[in-house]
Amino acid sequence: MATTFKDKVVIITGASNGVGAATAALFAEQGAKIAAFDIRDPPAATSDSKIEIKCDVSKEDEVNTAVKQVVDKWGTIDVLCNVAGIADQFQRLTDTTNDALNTIMGVNFFGPFYLMKAVIPHFLAKPGEVQGEGYMTQLPKKGAIVNVCSVAAVRGAAAGAAYTSSKHALLGLSRNTAWMYHRDGVRCNVVVPGGILTNIMGNSGGGARGEHLDPVGRAILQGPQSVIPAVTMPADTANAIVFLAGADSVNGAEVSIDHGWTVA
Ligand SMILES: NC(=O)c1ccc[n+]([C@@H]2O[C@H](COP(=O)([O-])OP(=O)(O)OC[C@H]3O[C@@H](n4cnc5c(N)ncnc54)[C@H](O)[C@@H]3O)[C@@H](O)[C@H]2O)c1
């Protein structure tokens, strides 16, 4: 068993399903202490190395309470993985209601914003200062953030208006965070998955097989001009998340897991 993350405290949002569940399993294999946040009711059992906390990431008070529970139990946080997300149904701007936009921004953008705002102060409170100067500078290693974006964060032709906006916003916030905190020893990277074989459409109020997708948006995005390649598995993205969490010199990176969709 690899022990890269032995006894490291890792928060994972959206941990009950899909990519979040796969990520929690990989960190657990490496000996991490897992704080699994999800809007779903958690299983009753908890253990010394895993706590499950019911938390709607779009609600700042719930996020702050959940993060406090983690610090109260383990005293510190080492890694934050913002995985929780919901999809739209491929609606164009004129078919996107304000409520739908707010809901999707709430989970996909404000969720990671609230989590990072609550967690970064705990990273910064750890001991460790910049050593040396110029080319010989050594940065402290205080904490790692991995945010789950999407091909919809870097292309306009991957989802509807709301989801595309939320993931573009998350990419921008991630880049800014990576740079603003790099001298403090806080890293922030993103994964950019293509289609993943999960039930995100069903879990987001649509049909599991895409039967509720907006026909106009779908025809535009998935029509004859479409370059959408094969789906990936949740473990593919989970592997990239764990890699980025442990890659001490990698900051502000975007790792695509999409069979080349991003460069098509
Ligand atoms: N599935 C895809 O094709 C795909 C593609 C690119 C990016 N992504 C991104 O990957 C991430 C994971 O998606 P997935 O495919 O594993 O989806 P999923 O539906 O399988 O899992 C998402 C998890 O997030 C939880 N969740 C939803 N709303 C929440 C909230 N408000 N607070 C806390 N938890 C909440 C759900 O209960 C679920 O356990 C998302 O950010 C998604 O946008 C997915």
Side-chain angles (χ1 to χ4, degrees):
M1 183 181 83
T3 55
T4 315
F5 289 96
K6 184 151 177 51
D7 293 331
K8 296 293 181 193
V9 177
V10 179
I11 293 178
I12 303 164
T13 71
S16 297
N17 206 67
V19 174
T23 303
L26 273 184
F27 275 115
E29 272 177 28
Q30 299 199 13
K33 294 173 176 168
I34 312 285
F37 294 4
D38 204 284
I39 198 169
R40 297 184 190 185
D41 284 326
T46 58
S47 72
D48 282 349
S49 58
K50 186 171 187 187
I51 47 174
E52 312 238 14
I53 301 175
K54 185 170 181 173
C55 170
D56 179 347
V57 298
S58 70
K59 301 206 166 93
E60 188 172 19
D61 56 338
E62 291 191 24
V63 167
N64 290 340
T65 303
V67 169
K68 183 172 182 310
Q69 267 182 264
V70 178
V71 175
D72 286 349
K73 183 172 172 69
W74 286 317
T76 192
I77 302 166
D78 299 297
V79 176
L80 166 64
C81 303
N82 281 306
V83 185
I86 53 174
D88 63 22
Q89 303 295 320
F90 285 32
Q91 296 96 336
R92 296 189 290 177
L93 182 150
T94 43
D95 296 316
T96 299
T97 65
N98 295 1
D99 281 350
L101 180 65
N102 283 330
T103 300
I104 287 179
M105 290 297 288
V107 180
N108 295 0
F109 176 72
F110 282 97
F113 175 77
Y114 297 146
L115 261 299
M116 291 195 284
K117 209 169 165 187
V119 167
I120 286 175
H122 294 288
F123 289 163
L124 299 180
K126 294 180 189 181
E129 303 299 328
V130 175
Q131 303 288 324
E133 52 187 45
Y135 182 66
M136 295 309 290
T137 299
Q138 297 284 303
L139 299 176
K141 295 169 187 172
K142 296 194 178 185
I145 301 164
V146 184
N147 291 331
V148 176
C149 285
S150 161
V151 171
V154 293
R155 292 179 66 100
Y163 187 83
T164 302
S165 302
S166 71
K167 294 295 185 178
H168 271 68
L170 179 57
L171 177 60
L173 180 65
S174 304
R175 287 173 169 168
N176 183 262
T177 302
W179 184 247
M180 287 292 194
Y181 294 95
H182 79 277
R183 283 183 67 85
D184 299 308
V186 177
R187 297 181 297 107
C188 182
N189 293 290
V190 307
V191 291
V192 179
I196 312 169
L197 202 56
T198 66
N199 186 26
I200 191 169
M201 301 310 288
N203 292 339
S204 304
R209 281 174 289 278
E211 56 266 36
H212 292 113
L213 293 182
D214 183 275
V216 177
R218 181 180 200 164
I220 292 168
L221 294 175
Q222 298 187 342
Q225 304 297 320
S226 172
V227 291
I228 299 176
V231 290
T232 61
M233 296 298 138
D236 300 330
T237 294
N239 268 311
I241 292 171
V242 173
F243 163 73
L244 289 169
D248 284 338
S249 301
V250 180
N251 191 22
E254 294 144 34
V255 174
S256 299
I257 308 104
D258 65 354
H259 296 298
W261 185 359
T262 308
V263 295

